[in-house]
Amino acid sequence: MVLLPLLALQASAQEKPGSFSEYKKMYADVNELIISDKSSYDIFVEDKKLRVLRSKYYESMIMSENGIQNNEEDFSYSELVKLKEYEAFSIVNDKGKERKIKVTQTNEKQSRQNGVFYNDVKERQLIFPNLEAGARKVYSVQTEFLDPFLLQSYIFGSGYPMLDSTLEVRADKDITIGYRIFNDPDNTIEFSKSEKKGKFIYRWTLKNVKAIKMEPNNPGFRYFIPHINIYVKDYTVDSKKINVLDNTEKLYDYYKAFTKNLNKTEDTELKAITAELVAGLTVDNEKVKKIFYWVKDNIKYIAFENGYEGFIPREAALVCKRKFGDCKDMASITSAMAHYAGVKNVTVSWVGTRDIPYSYEELSTPAVDNHMIAVYNDNGNYIFLDATDRETRYGIPTAFIQGKEVLISNGDTYKIIRVPVVAAENNEAAGVIKLSLDKEKIVGSGAFSYSGYSRSNILSQLGDASGKTRFEMIKSLVLMGSNKFYLKDYTEANIQDRDKPYQVNFNFELDDYAIQVDKELYINLCMDHTYEKLTLEPDRVTSYDLDYLSSENVIYNLEIPKNYSVKYLPDNFSLDNDVMKADFKYTNSGGIISLAAKIQIKKILLEKADFALWTETIKKLKSAYTQTLILIEK
């Protein structure tokens, strides 16, 4: 098999582009226009092995002076996706003629992914020279996939408008290709299948693609950008069909090869640690909880992915010795220690994080998941043991796998179950605020407690901060009323005890909060306007991800000054709809004005169909926040 020359790729990828003036009329307000983004796979059998080559051609035009700053492009490769060759150049206007200027400034750097300490993915950065309005950036790259199970999705979209976005697959006739298209409800992606020189050619094209706007708190690009996942179903060698991917059974066959020999050799050191840890415990659930917390406290989470190390869990003995590991390693040592403790039904499992929208039935390829955990089957009650989040308590999953399917390993068989979404009341922020008045100044004390994800989210942010830094972070956490809030002191409790709510007790003052007008004193008792600023833009397209369901339950108690009485007590407020439940209740009893304010979020992901209701809900909530108590001097 001879590699297709890069210049031939360029010639076949795009017809002669239009002129700068023509494009400027159609795209007057953009800095850059992508003329062509084409990827192609060549899939064939050579020397009785399946080979997969991918070629990419990219061409764009600078459309403005500001666009000149976009002089960089990059592409990636790794130990499992080998770089074969590439070339890149600028095309500029030289006295009415096109002139190519080769890219000579390139840099190879390690790819940085969130939460990953090291991986083997490299990025080649290209710096395009002599750019000006009307100049074009062109590059071509060829890579080879050493593992046919790991083909990558193709995205029909970019941050810039695109004239032509195309994926092509050329495969021998005895190779069966599968594919799934996502986020194309109107079937705008054109598909064709043809035959040429003994090969099937599959082509998917989308023309005149609008620029993609990445809105804040979107659930992940796979939820809304059109894309396609292709995979090899099977191929034939010497009249024998070899299966690759097609369903969950075949995906699990691929995965179990990475775990079938895991922790088969007993490690005396880890077994002794486990025995000492669970000594005196007779209930399996308590043993698993003890082990789970030990892993969180003693094994530092460091994601380290290099080739197949990104798929194969390391031996529990090695993880114990090194005292660090990635998600797979933490699942490995958790399941091994449970085995040493005599607890059955703790196994390694695969799961996708919430930014991956697919189910195992929708897409039975490695693109369906990106995370590993241990799962404990406690007589049908599944406990999800993800030690990568240090703060999450035993019994609830990590927030970023809520609602996702888990592929649980059981030797030659598997089971798929769904991770529950943790109820809002289990993620409660509760507080009692005691208030008194010194003329127009508020003097107060507060006691807050945070459970579930509210607890783990706060403690993850606080980390090991101390001194002035921690003081300012706590102040930001409990701040209320206005920016004149003065935190005098605070204490914390249950920082280390994951099974108890994290607590903060504090004293504060708030100058000029009450407003005196003649004999009347105006006070807004609702001092924390939660969700007031969470408004959705009218033209928002993508869903809004709230991360987890939450609940807030705060009681404000104001001591009425002795020389004052109540002139006006605000009306109670309540609402209950598909996105939120809220209840504000005012009472006057025994010289104390109380406001019990409760808010509960009911959807973890706000879909576009929810936007109007959410906007109306926030409007009503804002109105409730403005209600003012009036005291009058006797």
Side-chain angles (χ1 to χ4, degrees):
M1 176 72 181
V2 179
L3 295 181
L4 186 63
L6 289 175
L7 288 176
L9 267 177
Q10 297 160 14
S12 64
Q14 176 67 31
E15 298 177 359
K16 183 176 177 62
S19 68
F20 173 64
S21 59
E22 291 173 338
Y23 289 143
K24 193 66 177 176
K25 291 177 183 178
M26 295 183 288
Y27 299 94
D29 299 324
V30 303
N31 292 325
E32 187 169 348
L33 173 66
I34 300 175
I35 296 171
S36 178
D37 184 353
K38 178 178 179 180
S39 285
S40 61
Y41 284 96
D42 284 280
I43 306 175
F44 57 95
V45 174
E46 185 175 76
D47 297 329
K48 300 184 179 182
K49 292 183 179 180
L50 189 67
R51 292 188 64 190
V52 180
L53 301 177
R54 183 180 65 180
S55 304
K56 177 180 173 66
Y57 174 83
Y58 177 93
E59 181 176 358
S60 70
M61 180 177 286
I62 303 300
M63 301 295 292
S64 70
E65 293 299 316
N66 288 335
I68 295 173
Q69 300 175 32
N70 304 328
N71 67 338
E72 296 182 13
E73 296 293 339
D74 59 59
F75 57 86
S76 61
Y77 43 94
S78 67
E79 288 298 315
L80 295 175
V81 184
K82 291 287 190 181
L83 175 63
K84 305 296 287 185
E85 57 179 330
Y86 73 93
E87 64 176 342
F89 49 85
S90 302
I91 299 179
V92 300
N93 186 301
D94 186 3
K95 298 178 181 180
K97 295 183 179 180
E98 290 188 348
R99 180 164 66 96
K100 292 182 179 180
I101 304 175
K102 185 177 180 180
V103 169
T104 58
Q105 185 179 352
T106 72
N107 303 297
E108 182 183 78
K109 59 182 182 179
Q110 183 176 315
S111 175
R112 296 294 182 185
Q113 299 177 14
N114 290 336
V116 178
F117 173 74
Y118 173 81
N119 62 45
D120 67 322
V121 178
K122 300 292 191 299
E123 287 184 354
R124 172 66 63 174
Q125 183 184 54
L126 308 171
I127 311 297
F128 289 83
N130 296 66
L131 293 183
E132 59 186 6
R136 306 203 302 275
K137 299 186 300 187
V138 179
Y139 76 89
S140 301
V141 58
Q142 290 186 327
T143 52
E144 179 167 7
F145 286 75
L146 301 187
D147 188 332
F149 287 82
L150 302 178
L151 306 188
Q152 298 171 351
S153 59
Y154 178 79
I155 311 298
F156 293 91
S158 169
Y160 299 109
M162 187 183 303
L163 297 182
D164 184 352
S165 181
T166 297
L167 172 67
E168 186 173 279
V169 177
R170 298 181 287 268
D172 292 347
K173 285 187 174 182
D174 54 2
I175 298 173
T176 308
I177 299 299
Y179 66 91
R180 288 298 307 269
I181 296 175
F182 296 92
N183 304 321
D184 185 32
D186 298 326
N187 297 317
T188 55
I189 298 173
E190 299 178 6
F191 172 70
S192 66
K193 181 180 178 181
S194 59
E195 182 180 343
K196 185 177 181 180
K197 295 182 179 180
K199 292 181 179 292
F200 285 129
I201 301 174
Y202 309 79
R203 179 177 291 178
W204 298 267
T205 298
L206 191 59
K207 300 281 190 179
N208 301 315
V209 186
K210 293 182 179 180
I212 301 296
K213 181 181 179 182
M214 296 301 290
E215 297 168 311
N217 288 81
N218 71 75
F221 73 87
R222 298 175 185 87
Y223 280 80
F224 57 93
I225 299 180
H227 63 282
I228 182 170
N229 290 80
I230 68 163
Y231 52 93
V232 178
K233 288 186 174 183
D234 56 65
Y235 62 99
T236 302
V237 175
D238 294 337
S239 301
K240 180 182 178 181
K241 186 171 79 169
I242 300 173
N243 292 320
V244 183
L245 290 168
D246 191 22
N247 52 40
T248 310
E249 286 77 14
K250 292 177 182 177
L251 176 63
Y252 182 68
D253 285 342
Y254 175 69
Y255 280 169
K256 73 181 180 183
F258 297 136
T259 61
K260 64 181 180 180
N261 295 318
L262 182 65
N263 299 325
K264 296 297 185 182
T265 302
E266 184 176 287
D267 182 69
T268 55
E269 181 181 354
L270 185 57
K271 186 175 183 180
I273 291 173
T274 304
E276 182 179 355
L277 188 65
V278 301
L281 300 179
T282 58
V283 179
D284 283 354
N285 192 287
E286 294 179 356
K287 292 179 181 179
V288 175
K289 179 179 177 180
K290 195 83 171 181
I291 291 168
F292 183 50
Y293 285 169
W294 183 92
V295 174
K296 283 175 175 280
D297 291 333
N298 292 274
I299 306 299
K300 184 175 178 62
Y301 173 63
I302 298 178
F304 187 93
E305 301 175 0
N306 184 15
Y308 279 114
E309 289 184 10
F311 297 87
I312 304 174
R314 297 170 183 85
E315 290 290 312
L318 177 61
V319 179
C320 180
K321 181 179 179 181
R322 299 201 304 189
K323 294 293 185 290
F324 69 84
D326 60 16
C327 63
K328 302 176 297 297
D329 303 334
M330 288 181 150
S332 171
I333 193 170
T334 300
S335 60
M337 293 179 73
H339 173 74
Y340 291 144
V343 181
K344 299 179 181 179
N345 298 327
V346 178
T347 58
V348 296
S349 306
W350 295 264
V351 63
T353 51
R354 290 184 56 241
D355 59 335
I356 297 177
Y358 325 118
S359 68
Y360 281 96
E361 182 178 357
E362 287 176 319
L363 187 65
S364 299
T365 79
V368 73
D369 50 39
N370 60 346
H371 192 47
M372 283 191 77
I373 62 174
V375 176
Y376 171 39
N377 181 0
D378 184 12
N379 296 315
N381 178 33
Y382 290 92
I383 308 296
F384 304 95
L385 307 171
D386 184 357
T388 62
D389 182 347
R390 190 175 183 276
E391 301 298 342
T392 304
R393 69 170 174 83
Y394 178 80
I396 65 173
T398 40
F400 52 79
I401 63 170
Q402 291 180 99
K404 294 294 296 178
E405 288 183 342
V406 179
L407 181 67
I408 300 176
S409 172
N410 187 24
D412 290 332
T413 62
Y414 67 89
K415 185 173 185 177
I416 294 176
I417 62 170
R418 188 172 294 278
V419 180
V421 174
V422 176
E425 54 265 28
N426 294 326
N427 303 315
E428 185 179 63
V432 177
I433 311 297
K434 295 180 180 180
L435 306 169
S436 62
L437 285 165
D438 179 5
K439 296 181 180 179
E440 295 180 347
K441 180 171 72 173
I442 291 283
V443 177
S445 64
F448 276 124
S449 65
Y450 303 91
S451 303
Y453 298 140
S454 293
R455 176 194 185 278
S456 57
N457 188 43
I458 289 169
L459 287 177
S460 294
Q461 292 181 46
L462 291 173
D464 296 326
S466 59
K468 184 178 180 180
T469 300
R470 194 173 188 91
F471 185 92
E472 291 299 322
M473 295 175 78
I474 295 294
K475 179 182 176 181
S476 177
L477 174 65
V478 302
L479 186 146
M480 62 184 68
S482 75
N483 59 8
K484 292 184 178 181
F485 179 90
Y486 171 66
L487 179 63
K488 296 172 65 178
D489 54 62
Y490 73 92
T491 60
E492 299 172 89
N494 304 329
I495 297 175
Q496 303 299 327
D497 193 339
R498 299 180 180 90
D499 296 320
K500 294 181 179 179
Y502 166 63
Q503 294 181 346
V504 180
N505 298 324
F506 57 98
N507 295 292
F508 68 97
E509 293 179 353
L510 188 58
D511 284 335
D512 303 323
Y513 186 72
I515 299 175
Q516 184 85 47
V517 180
D518 296 328
K519 289 188 175 184
E520 293 181 345
L521 200 57
Y522 294 80
I523 307 160
N524 185 338
L525 269 189
C526 196
M527 301 176 70
D528 187 11
H529 297 181
T530 310
Y531 302 113
E532 182 180 56
K533 295 182 179 180
L534 207 167
T535 56
L536 304 176
E537 296 296 328
D539 61 346
R540 185 179 176 97
V541 175
T542 57
S543 302
Y544 191 99
D545 188 5
L546 291 166
D547 294 330
Y548 58 87
L549 301 179
S550 60
S551 177
E552 184 175 287
N553 184 359
V554 182
I555 298 173
Y556 302 91
N557 292 322
L558 172 66
E559 180 182 352
I560 303 174
K562 292 181 179 180
N563 57 332
Y564 281 83
S565 61
V566 177
K567 180 179 180 180
Y568 173 74
L569 189 68
D571 294 332
N572 294 334
F573 165 78
S574 65
L575 67 82
D576 190 356
N577 55 39
D578 289 342
V579 296
M580 182 187 291
K581 181 178 181 180
D583 185 67
F584 292 6
K585 185 177 181 180
Y586 291 88
T587 58
N588 178 6
S589 178
I592 301 293
I593 303 294
S594 294
L595 165 61
K598 299 179 181 179
I599 300 176
Q600 189 176 97
I601 298 298
K602 299 173 71 173
K603 279 198 171 184
I604 193 171
L605 187 69
L606 298 176
E607 307 280 1
K608 194 170 184 179
D610 301 315
F611 289 178
L613 179 59
W614 179 266
T615 299
E616 182 63 24
T617 299
I618 297 303
K619 182 179 178 181
K620 292 179 179 179
L621 197 61
K622 285 181 177 180
S623 178
Y625 284 150
T626 63
Q627 297 303 304
T628 303
L629 167 71
I630 304 176
L631 302 180
I632 188 166
E633 192 173 358
K634 295 178 181 178

